Amino acid sequence: MLLSRYFLPILKENPKEAEIVSHRLMLRAGMLRQEAAGIYAWLPLGVRVLKKIEAIVREEQDRSGAIECLMPTIQSADLWRESGRYDDYGKEMLRIRDRHERDMLYGPTNEEMITEIFRSYVRSYRDLPLNLYHIQWKFRDEVRPRFGVMRGREFLMKDAYSFDVDAEGARAAYNRMFVAYLRTFDRLGLKAIPMRADTGPIGGDLSHEFIILAETGESAVFCDRSLLELPIPAADTDFRSDLSPIVSAWTEPYAATDEMHDEAAFSALPEERRMSARGIEIGHIFYFGTKYSDPMRARVTGPDGQERPVHMGSYGIGVSRLVAAIIEASHDDAGIIWPDSVAPFDVGLVNLKPGDAVTDEVVDGLASRLEGAGLEVLQDDLDQRAGAKFATMDLIGLPWQVIVGPKGAAKGEVEIKRRATGERQALGLDAALARLVQGRAR
Amino acid sequence: MLLSRYFLPILKENPKEAEIVSHRLMLRAGMLRQEAAGIYAWLPLGVRVLKKIEAIVREEQDRSGAIECLMPTIQSADLWRESGRYDDYGKEMLRIRDRHERDMLYGPTNEEMITEIFRSYVRSYRDLPLNLYHIQWKFRDEVRPRFGVMRGREFLMKDAYSFDVDAEGARAAYNRMFVAYLRTFDRLGLKAIPMRADTGPIGGDLSHEFIILAETGESAVFCDRSLLELPIPAADTDFRSDLSPIVSAWTEPYAATDEMHDEAAFSALPEERRMSARGIEIGHIFYFGTKYSDPMRARVTGPDGQERPVHMGSYGIGVSRLVAAIIEASHDDAGIIWPDSVAPFDVGLVNLKPGDAVTDEVVDGLASRLEGAGLEVLQDDLDQRAGAKFATMDLIGLPWQVIVGPKGAAKGEVEIKRRATGERQALGLDAALARLVQGRAR
């Protein structure tokens, strides 16, 4: 992609409304524009990151055996009257009346709708276990939206819903999502720690939040430092096997948000293992048994021929919030540092002298070879001074920069820079290409 | 994917509410469930098709030089007051008041918002041409939604918006989208005919609808039969070149919807070239000049240093509607016949005797070899009679069926069936595999 044909509206000034670094950097890097309080348009650089995160979330949901569906954003109020949540939900629910004066709402979550879908088709334990997920926009009419997409009103969420014949099956479903979440966040370059959580308005018996540590985190968290060193379950993990040993390994060490914090238990840890920090919630999983299936009569026949309400869980990942969370966890004074897996482009290819025939030729040749090798390249062909070009590249945080000037080009040499470390290296064209292709493969 | 672990709620009965064949087949094939009038949940089989169509639309937009962004579903009413459309739009616009009593709406289209984004960042002709598109859910509160996703209230649309310094540039942008649309619909297996159209509520000077012919079409159309034989622009079409010869070739032959029909011009055609039929609109492109940039003050400086309102066009494809349109164009009495490019799975692999060791081994081996070759396989491992299995496969319309019974399995032989033609062939395992991999490559 040529920068001259792209749409990357970089801001030179720090936007005053941005209180946290991710919001500031997303605005400055031309990723985002606010359209109303807590409602954002994703500009091209932002969409690319959002779609990559979405793809990784989807892959790991699929791997775990969950099946994708797609529920609408607008729901009928009647569904929520059945569960009793229509009145409970309060002003955070965006209520709508359509042209025929029917009460509708913009879904803040989908427990009711998925339960309605389930009960319409499934009758027998033989069709279980079942886990249906979707990745869809939600709306919560926060009284004071802020921090950009970290706490927006319209946001993209992956929500999955599991259905099992009994509590034991539901626990296995919970474990599958637990492991899928560990893998998902690891692939996004995040150290996420599962913490026992309050079940809140979704209700239920068992719940974990997945939390990343970041100075700007919304809540205080306390955990055993050994959690930072635990291995992530491998890609070939058998999701039909018993995953409870993995879940136990991740849940036995102490970890809690401030609401659930037990100071006595925490103090019992050796001092060097006690870690207290700020955290950002990026995922939340719940087992809530028959809370929805009871009132909504979602029932299946068991092996004994008896009908019973199905056991359910729900499992959320804040997809749009993750864009901000990743930036909170990975940036420096110069800008964003994208993990390779979600970077909007793999390589920023900087032409220091557009119009110079030799430089242009080297840059164009390198771009097509990199793209031929499957890398995504943003080629800076603008007529700007070098300092501005470098500042833009550092700000938008692509994993690799390749800098081509007329002197180097004449010798067939370019400079490559790894954004995360700042390490620079002058290399011949073939060596540079090999390094970047290899860098991408990691 | 094993059918026993999938969620495919086939309906045996014809749903009474479905008036057209695509709606009936989408419900029967377990693709869709109505959640409220004109509001649908996409079940797993439906999502797979929707995502494939979306991916093809995206690829062709990208190829043409359009750049993806993503605007929110909820918009501020103030934007629409600026353009004057807030009052004009009438009851089709879903109007919402948020908790702070601000007037909002669920976007039925995005001309206003994209114009607001454009004017916030772009000042000079040097940043043009620019074409920004997104693929996002829209809402139109139809008074009588019907025909399933063909005329739903919540629907997925690709809408692109072009910005140019003058009418000539805008015409070139229009031509690029015109060619992208020809390619997109061809890849979806559709014969789409561009027809000069009324500009309607979007306004403007120049507009074409892209229409496919189908008996259940919503409007009468009239065209020159020679349009069915025109070649589709190739994948390596240079979108920076002058595309007007292609557009001329497609717009010179007579083609019009009934609103624009000129009986005299049509009658002047030789009789064997006159074709009158029913059509379904699947895309619509508009050039509307400064209709929005004037009132909303989206202005750029030209090469002469003078400021002027930017020339705009907008370009829509009904992504969710396409799922139904493809079925209208491609089905038979037994069910759907998916074009290869959008089929939810490439192959339906039918095990006629699950539990029989030899049959299971052949089926499992074939499934993993097909998946290894990059094909998507739905493996019917249910304990059902053969007739029911065949009926389900025909209904869901996968391009290829592979049928494995115990007798054939013992000889290392399977039967493959091409859904579109009904042609069946008994083949050895290697030959079957080669045939399917080759079939997919087409």
Side-chain angles (χ1 to χ4, degrees):
Chain A
M1 175 67 69
L2 290 176
L3 193 46
S4 62
R5 294 184 197 161
Y6 199 53
F7 182 61
L8 184 70
I10 297 290
L11 301 186
K12 299 227 164 50
E13 309 288 319
N14 265 328
K16 281 188 291 285
E17 72 270 30
E19 298 173 62
I20 60 172
V21 66
S22 58
H23 190 194
R24 193 160 66 235
L25 288 174
M26 288 180 77
L27 293 172
R28 286 200 49 215
M31 294 178 65
L32 203 65
R33 176 171 181 78
Q34 179 171 307
E35 291 299 329
I39 301 179
Y40 293 89
W42 295 77
L43 303 180
L45 200 75
V47 177
R48 292 180 77 97
V49 178
L50 189 68
K51 294 280 173 196
K52 290 198 177 180
I53 294 173
E54 188 182 323
I56 289 173
V57 170
R58 176 176 289 118
E59 278 176 30
E60 295 299 332
Q61 291 292 295
D62 292 346
R63 189 194 307 277
S64 79
I67 299 171
E68 186 170 12
C69 62
L70 185 52
M71 289 176 271
T73 61
I74 302 296
Q75 305 186 16
S76 158
D78 288 340
L79 265 182
W80 289 67
R81 293 194 177 108
E82 272 195 68
S83 73
R85 283 208 293 181
Y86 189 66
D87 295 324
D88 293 355
Y89 220 93
K91 290 197 155 190
E92 268 195 25
M93 180 185 280
L94 188 65
R95 291 156 207 263
I96 300 170
R97 196 158 279 178
D98 75 7
R99 69 189 295 170
H100 297 300
E101 302 296 325
R102 282 174 295 216
D103 288 328
M104 314 292 286
L105 57 96
Y106 198 124
T109 176
N110 285 65
E111 280 81 6
E112 282 79 358
M113 191 179 281
I114 200 76
T115 304
E116 187 276 333
I117 291 172
F118 178 88
R119 76 179 176 196
S120 307
Y121 300 111
V122 184
R123 299 274 175 271
S124 161
Y125 76 97
R126 277 186 294 264
D127 295 323
L128 305 182
L130 181 64
N131 185 326
L132 294 169
Y133 76 95
H134 74 158
I135 301 175
Q136 179 61 295
W137 293 91
K138 310 283 190 297
F139 203 97
R140 288 185 196 158
D141 202 358
E142 301 266 359
V143 63
R144 199 159 79 89
R146 56 185 190 150
F147 302 150
V149 296
M150 191 71 87
R151 199 189 297 172
R153 295 197 289 168
E154 186 171 330
F155 59 97
L156 186 61
M157 185 163 140
K158 184 287 300 178
D159 36 326
Y161 302 91
S162 66
F163 300 90
D164 288 273
V165 71
D166 55 23
E168 192 190 337
R171 181 63 197 234
Y174 189 90
N175 290 348
R176 284 193 290 276
M177 279 293 117
F178 191 105
V179 170
Y181 277 34
L182 290 175
R183 286 195 43 77
T184 301
F185 298 131
D186 181 62
R187 286 186 61 191
L188 297 174
L190 295 170
K191 277 240 177 257
I193 300 173
M195 302 199 180
R196 216 177 152 89
D198 193 13
T199 54
I202 300 216
D205 304 322
L206 176 61
S207 173
H208 285 90
E209 291 179 14
F210 287 75
I211 295 209
I212 60 163
L213 308 181
E215 279 167 34
T216 51
E218 61 220 325
S219 57
V221 297
F222 305 86
C223 70
D224 185 331
R225 206 177 290 277
S226 68
L227 283 163
L228 297 175
E229 308 305 328
L230 282 178
I232 300 295
D236 63 356
T237 299
D238 178 2
F239 279 88
R240 317 279 297 175
S241 70
D242 177 13
L243 300 173
S244 54
I246 300 175
V247 174
S248 296
W250 278 90
T251 50
E252 273 160 15
Y254 187 85
T257 60
D258 48 4
E259 291 126 10
M260 300 289 281
H261 185 46
D262 173 353
E263 187 59 36
F266 187 60
S267 304
L269 286 177
E271 194 176 347
E272 69 279 11
R273 277 168 52 195
R274 273 178 247 158
M275 188 163 69
S276 66
R278 309 288 303 172
I280 300 172
E281 180 198 330
I282 52 176
H284 203 157
I285 63 178
F286 299 90
Y287 163 61
F288 46 69
T290 61
K291 178 176 157 73
Y292 298 92
S293 54
D294 252 338
M296 295 186 68
R297 304 184 160 275
R299 302 168 71 84
V300 290
T301 309
D304 56 4
Q306 297 291 310
E307 246 197 11
R308 65 200 71 183
V310 71
H311 283 248
M312 293 175 58
S314 73
Y315 313 89
I317 290 180
V319 177
S320 47
R321 157 174 273 218
L322 271 169
V323 181
I326 291 169
I327 296 174
E328 292 291 335
S330 184
H331 67 271
D332 63 17
D333 289 345
I336 302 166
I337 303 171
W338 291 116
D340 292 355
S341 58
V342 300
F345 295 90
D346 300 307
V347 177
L349 177 52
V350 179
N351 185 335
L352 289 179
K353 201 166 183 186
D356 175 72
V358 178
T359 313
D360 286 353
E361 197 190 318
V362 167
V363 167
D364 291 345
L366 200 51
S368 66
R369 287 174 73 189
L370 287 165
E371 285 168 355
L375 278 77
E376 293 171 339
V377 180
L378 182 62
Q379 185 175 337
D380 177 357
D381 59 338
L382 301 183
D383 183 19
Q384 276 188 324
R385 61 187 180 76
K389 286 170 180 272
F390 297 150
T392 294
M393 279 298 164
D394 281 353
L395 174 62
I396 67 174
L398 309 182
W400 294 97
Q401 298 169 18
V402 180
I403 299 134
V404 187
K407 274 190 209 158
K411 296 189 285 186
E413 207 177 86
V414 301
E415 190 174 42
I416 69 172
K417 173 179 161 180
R418 178 73 177 160
R419 174 67 180 89
T421 59
E423 189 193 338
R424 290 157 170 274
Q425 211 177 349
L427 290 173
L429 290 179
D430 291 344
L433 186 82
R435 184 78 191 80
L436 296 170
V437 171
Q438 174 205 346
R440 175 61 182 153
R442 280 180 324 167
Chain B
M1 175 66 69
L2 290 176
L3 193 46
S4 63
R5 295 186 196 158
Y6 199 54
F7 182 62
L8 184 70
I10 297 289
L11 301 187
K12 300 226 163 50
E13 309 289 317
N14 265 328
K16 280 188 292 284
E17 73 268 31
E19 298 173 62
I20 60 173
V21 65
S22 59
H23 190 196
R24 193 161 66 234
L25 289 173
M26 289 179 77
L27 293 173
R28 285 200 50 214
M31 295 178 65
L32 203 64
R33 176 172 180 78
Q34 179 170 309
E35 291 298 330
I39 300 179
Y40 294 88
W42 294 77
L43 303 180
L45 199 75
V47 177
R48 292 180 78 97
V49 177
L50 188 68
K51 295 280 173 196
K52 292 201 176 178
I53 294 173
E54 188 182 324
I56 289 173
V57 169
R58 175 176 290 119
E59 277 176 31
E60 295 300 331
Q61 291 292 295
D62 292 346
R63 188 194 308 277
S64 78
I67 300 170
E68 187 170 12
C69 62
L70 185 52
M71 290 176 270
T73 61
I74 301 296
Q75 305 186 16
S76 157
D78 288 341
L79 264 182
W80 288 67
R81 292 192 177 109
E82 271 195 69
S83 73
R85 280 208 293 182
Y86 188 65
D87 295 323
D88 293 355
Y89 220 93
K91 289 197 155 188
E92 269 195 23
M93 179 186 280
L94 188 65
R95 291 154 207 265
I96 301 171
R97 195 159 279 178
D98 75 6
R99 71 189 293 169
H100 298 300
E101 302 295 326
R102 282 174 296 218
D103 288 329
M104 315 290 286
L105 57 96
Y106 198 124
T109 176
N110 285 66
E111 280 81 7
E112 283 78 1
M113 190 178 281
I114 199 76
T115 304
E116 189 275 333
I117 291 172
F118 179 88
R119 76 180 175 196
S120 308
Y121 300 110
V122 183
R123 299 274 175 270
S124 162
Y125 75 97
R126 277 185 294 264
D127 295 322
L128 305 183
L130 181 64
N131 185 326
L132 294 169
Y133 76 95
H134 74 159
I135 302 176
Q136 179 59 294
W137 293 91
K138 311 283 190 297
F139 202 96
R140 288 186 195 158
D141 202 358
E142 300 267 358
V143 63
R144 198 159 80 89
R146 55 185 191 151
F147 301 151
V149 296
M150 190 71 86
R151 200 190 295 172
R153 293 199 290 170
E154 186 171 330
F155 59 98
L156 186 62
M157 183 163 141
K158 185 285 299 178
D159 36 328
Y161 303 91
S162 67
F163 301 90
D164 287 273
V165 70
D166 55 23
E168 193 189 336
R171 181 64 197 234
Y174 188 90
N175 290 348
R176 283 193 290 275
M177 278 295 115
F178 191 105
V179 171
Y181 278 33
L182 290 175
R183 285 195 45 75
T184 302
F185 298 132
D186 181 61
R187 286 185 60 191
L188 297 175
L190 295 170
K191 276 243 178 256
I193 301 173
M195 303 198 181
R196 218 179 151 87
D198 192 13
T199 54
I202 300 216
D205 303 323
L206 177 60
S207 173
H208 286 89
E209 290 178 15
F210 286 75
I211 294 206
I212 61 163
L213 308 181
E215 277 166 34
T216 51
E218 62 219 325
S219 56
V221 298
F222 305 86
C223 70
D224 185 331
R225 207 177 289 277
S226 69
L227 282 162
L228 298 174
E229 307 305 327
L230 282 178
I232 299 296
D236 64 356
T237 299
D238 178 3
F239 280 88
R240 318 277 300 173
S241 71
D242 178 13
L243 300 173
S244 54
I246 300 174
V247 175
S248 297
W250 278 90
T251 50
E252 274 160 15
Y254 186 83
T257 59
D258 46 4
E259 292 127 8
M260 302 287 282
H261 185 48
D262 173 353
E263 187 59 36
F266 187 61
S267 303
L269 286 178
E271 195 177 344
E272 70 277 11
R273 277 169 51 196
R274 272 178 247 160
M275 188 164 67
S276 66
R278 308 291 301 173
I280 300 172
E281 181 198 329
I282 52 176
H284 203 158
I285 64 179
F286 299 90
Y287 163 61
F288 46 70
T290 61
K291 178 176 157 74
Y292 298 92
S293 54
D294 253 338
M296 294 186 68
R297 302 186 162 276
R299 301 168 71 84
V300 291
T301 309
D304 56 4
Q306 299 289 311
E307 245 196 11
R308 66 200 69 185
V310 72
H311 284 248
M312 293 175 58
S314 73
Y315 314 90
I317 291 180
V319 177
S320 47
R321 157 175 274 219
L322 271 168
V323 181
I326 291 169
I327 296 174
E328 291 291 335
S330 185
H331 67 272
D332 63 16
D333 288 345
I336 303 167
I337 303 171
W338 291 115
D340 292 354
S341 58
V342 301
F345 295 90
D346 300 307
V347 177
L349 177 52
V350 179
N351 185 335
L352 289 179
K353 201 165 183 185
D356 175 72
V358 178
T359 313
D360 286 353
E361 197 190 318
V362 168
V363 167
D364 292 345
L366 200 52
S368 65
R369 288 174 73 188
L370 287 166
E371 285 168 354
L375 278 78
E376 293 172 338
V377 179
L378 182 63
Q379 186 175 336
D380 176 358
D381 60 338
L382 301 183
D383 184 18
Q384 276 188 324
R385 60 186 181 78
K389 286 171 179 271
F390 297 151
T392 294
M393 280 298 163
D394 281 353
L395 174 62
I396 68 173
L398 310 182
W400 295 97
Q401 298 170 18
V402 180
I403 298 134
V404 187
K407 274 191 210 158
K411 297 188 284 186
E413 207 177 86
V414 301
E415 189 174 43
I416 69 173
K417 172 179 163 182
R418 178 74 176 159
R419 174 67 179 90
T421 59
E423 190 192 337
R424 291 159 169 271
Q425 211 177 351
L427 290 173
L429 290 178
D430 291 343
L433 186 82
R435 184 76 192 81
L436 296 169
V437 171
Q438 173 205 345
R440 175 61 184 150
R442 277 180 325 166

